[in-house]
Amino acid sequence: MVVAKLWTMVRHFEGAPKPEDFKLENKELPPLKDGELLLESEFLSVDPYIRPYSKEKKEGDIILGSQVARVVESKNSAFPVGGYYVAYAGWATHFISDGKGLDALPSNWPDNLPRSLALGAVGMPGVTAYYGLLEICKPKEGEVVLVNAAAGAVGSLVGQIAKIKGCKVVGSAGSDEKLTFLKEIGFDEAFNYKTASSLAEALKNASPEGYDCYFDNVGGKFSDATLQQMKDFGRITVCGAISQYNDAVPPTGPYIQPYILFKQLLVQGFLVWTWKNRYTEAQKQLLQWIAEGKLKYHEHITSGFENMPAGFIGMLKGENIGKAIIKV
Amino acid sequence: MVVAKLWTMVRHFEGAPKPEDFKLENKELPPLKDGELLLESEFLSVDPYIRPYSKEKKEGDIILGSQVARVVESKNSAFPVGGYYVAYAGWATHFISDGKGLDALPSNWPDNLPRSLALGAVGMPGVTAYYGLLEICKPKEGEVVLVNAAAGAVGSLVGQIAKIKGCKVVGSAGSDEKLTFLKEIGFDEAFNYKTASSLAEALKNASPEGYDCYFDNVGGKFSDATLQQMKDFGRITVCGAISQYNDAVPPTGPYIQPYILFKQLLVQGFLVWTWKNRYTEAQKQLLQWIAEGKLKYHEHITSGFENMPAGFIGMLKGENIGKAIIKV
């Protein structure tokens, strides 16, 4: 008999998630029925989207999230023991599946790459950066691309993909260590939004001519400042609003419609699930860029399933550089 | 010798434009040089854009705007006496031109249509409605289209074009007389935003399923309410922000980025000047729809050049149904 460990939600988050909002439970799993398989978690992913989407969960529910898991027992010939899959199974060390919704790791997965990348540069964040930048911002060679939360899982890839496409890339991040990281992975300019005396000045200094593309993971006051620096016909991917996820009352700011109007901006929301049927295409390109050394990945690994809430809380605070991963 | 009358700006507008902000002046025009022509105004246009773009003018400058004018004297064989042109010559009864920037009325102009339509349904507002709706919102048959300032020059055309394309059309306007007008020209639903107890309720009642397309002439709180009623993958044309044009300090509201993100909306700013090289194509279609009786036009005509400020101020207050025109 297998006992799974899982993290459940004691109460809905109010403001920033706190350790006491999470409860570690043991759950005995029943024997497998025909067609079922048992999977064991190897890596789990903590991502910003978990915060807003947790509103849709009930108290006592397992915390939502994805993981890379290995088949350890199977009564389904399509999923033999030893196979690795990405699964949206929540925060659990073990779970039973009928195979639906399991995504096999790309078949050309190189031996020298950690499978955790299937949760990062070659997974959801990678595909997000790829389509969010290339299909909405559509940056042209020589254009200026701005990304915030630039040292995060998505932002660090957005900047590198924009460089591959021949753009000038500006990133914003919240520590000097992160700025160093951004320069290492090829960003042209980077500034610390926490210590800048004025966001407007920092944006102007980094690109006096303004910005053609803005990949927005943050929203709020950062976007207010950026809208003033956008060039006419600029494109904005709204991919996240992490500055607002903990706010109970929606924060207010100047209406952005006049900027959209008079600069003829295009602003579009991006959720990666919409691109599900084009995942493989993006993953193939991302793997190739990594193999060619054009795309560097960085992971911030927290060890121990029992440390998942700490990893999640730390990620929301911006403690990670690159993709935040929990290693069981 | 010809004496032109013209309206100049005494001071930059503060809040709503007031009669004392305008000054009527006489100006002697010099004799024509070779290559020049003298034009006389027949109809002048007062449009919302004049309010924000006046910020770029200096005190003492002529008020900006367009008109339909007739060539009354010519030393330029390309522009014979008697020809009619749309000109961005400002608020003047007469002006001298070298022919640059003059747009001839469409060559297939029907005898039974007033030339003032070149400032309305077949002019800038018509082209605005045509491309703003069809190229940004891209409504599909059976979808629900919302337009505000719906009884205005642009809004009344947006709704009718959406009906031609097989959509359900909802309009918002500021008087019961306007609602009657909207029903007459084929809107499926119309509500009075001034008397509605709740914009959210009015929007829900008019289309319980929500909105696929939103053609926004107004901005502000109307847009706040509408964003909550947009369907996933909705499209928004930001064509105007008349609710804010008189505000010295930019008004604030809840950030709209979370709606854009989680509903995956596309929001794009539209300025008709960008479509200059495709004007003729739109004008041809608009004229054809008018000839076929599919597109109805309505004009709100103020007589007398001396009444231009009153016509402009009234239009900004929403006193007009259809296109606000000044007849000299």
Side-chain angles (χ1 to χ4, degrees), chain A residues 53 220-221 223-224 233 238-239 244 251-258 260-262 264-271 274, chain B residues 53 220-221 223-224 233 238-239 244 251-255 257-258 260-262 264-271 274:
Chain A
Y53 282 99
K221 289 186 194 308
S223 289
D224 294 343
F233 302 105
V238 181
C239 182
Q244 294 183 226
T252 59
Y255 283 110
I256 70 172
Q257 284 93 335
I260 296 174
L261 171 58
F262 292 113
Q264 298 178 75
L265 306 178
L266 182 150
V267 186
Q268 194 169 350
F270 179 89
L271 295 179
T274 298
Chain B
Y53 281 99
K221 289 185 194 308
S223 289
D224 295 342
F233 302 105
V238 180
C239 182
Q244 295 184 227
T252 60
Y255 283 110
Q257 284 93 335
I260 296 173
L261 171 58
F262 292 112
Q264 298 179 73
L265 305 178
L266 181 150
V267 186
Q268 193 169 352
F270 179 90
L271 295 179
T274 298

Side-chain angles (χ1 to χ4, degrees), chain A:
Chain A
M1 197 191 58
V2 175
V3 177
K5 291 181 188 172
L6 40 91
W7 281 103
T8 59
M9 187 166 63
V10 176
R11 63 184 73 80
H12 278 109
F13 304 129
E14 289 180 17
K18 292 173 281 292
E20 57 267 32
D21 297 332
F22 303 85
K23 183 180 177 189
L24 186 59
E25 300 189 38
N26 290 323
K27 182 184 169 189
E28 290 184 11
L29 298 182
L32 293 187
K33 297 178 196 150
D34 281 346
E36 290 186 337
L37 49 151
L38 174 70
L39 294 104
E40 182 177 72
S41 177
E42 184 182 26
F43 297 104
L44 296 107
S45 186
V46 285
D47 300 280
Y49 76 85
I50 295 173
R51 175 67 183 86
Y53 282 99
S54 289
K55 287 176 197 161
E56 299 169 12
K57 293 284 177 183
K58 293 192 304 293
E59 296 176 357
D61 280 354
I62 186 168
I63 309 284
L64 60 93
S66 62
Q67 56 172 270
V68 169
R70 189 173 74 97
V71 181
V72 291
E73 193 186 334
S74 180
K75 291 194 173 180
N76 184 327
S77 59
F79 297 88
V81 168
Y84 283 92
Y85 295 88
V86 172
Y88 283 87
W91 292 14
T93 56
H94 299 79
F95 61 99
I96 292 170
S97 166
D98 61 3
K100 286 203 191 98
L102 296 182
D103 293 320
L105 260 61
S107 55
N108 56 338
W109 194 270
D111 288 338
N112 62 341
L113 292 186
R115 279 181 290 271
S116 52
L117 290 193
L119 302 173
V122 188
M124 184 275 283
V127 176
T128 298
Y130 187 85
Y131 288 123
L133 179 68
L134 300 182
E135 296 286 344
I136 295 181
C137 278
K138 293 179 178 158
K140 297 186 204 68
E141 194 176 336
E143 287 191 329
V144 186
V145 174
L146 170 69
V147 59
N148 51 24
V154 173
S156 59
L157 301 171
V158 167
Q160 292 182 80
I161 295 170
K163 285 307 296 176
I164 290 170
K165 296 296 178 181
C167 298
K168 172 177 171 172
V169 176
V170 177
S172 160
S175 76
D176 291 347
E177 188 191 358
K178 289 179 180 176
L179 302 191
T180 303
F181 166 68
L182 294 179
K183 290 303 186 94
E184 280 169 11
I185 61 173
F187 277 61
D188 297 289
E189 300 285 341
F191 63 88
N192 185 333
Y193 74 93
K194 288 183 179 171
T195 57
S197 58
S198 147
L199 281 176
E201 285 306 311
L203 289 164
K204 269 187 217 170
N205 288 341
S207 177
E209 62 171 304
Y211 298 90
D212 300 283
C213 302
Y214 169 37
F215 194 104
D216 182 15
N217 294 307
V218 173
K221 289 186 194 308
F222 193 95
S223 289
D224 294 343
T226 300
L227 279 157
Q228 300 189 35
Q229 309 301 330
M230 291 300 292
K231 295 192 204 176
D232 286 353
F233 302 105
R235 288 86 65 195
I236 299 176
T237 303
V238 181
C239 182
I242 197 167
S243 70
Q244 294 183 226
Y245 290 161
N246 287 333
D247 293 320
V249 177
T252 59
Y255 283 110
I256 70 172
Q257 284 93 335
Y259 293 105
I260 296 174
L261 171 58
F262 292 113
K263 294 182 183 223
Q264 298 178 75
L265 306 178
L266 182 150
V267 186
Q268 194 169 350
F270 179 89
L271 295 179
V272 70
W273 331 115
T274 298
W275 299 80
K276 198 72 192 165
N277 62 352
R278 289 181 61 190
Y279 251 60
T280 314
E281 174 191 342
Q283 287 178 312
K284 196 174 154 189
Q285 178 64 77
L286 292 161
L287 273 172
Q288 188 186 325
W289 281 334
I290 290 171
E292 293 169 355
K294 291 179 180 171
L295 195 66
K296 296 185 176 64
Y297 62 88
H298 198 280
E299 296 180 313
H300 177 96
I301 294 181
T302 302
S303 287
F305 184 75
E306 69 279 11
N307 294 320
M308 280 211 76
F312 177 59
I313 291 167
M315 181 277 303
L316 287 177
K317 285 183 186 164
E319 290 173 358
N320 56 306
I321 288 185
K323 179 70 186 96
I325 292 284
I326 312 296
K327 190 174 189 302
V328 177

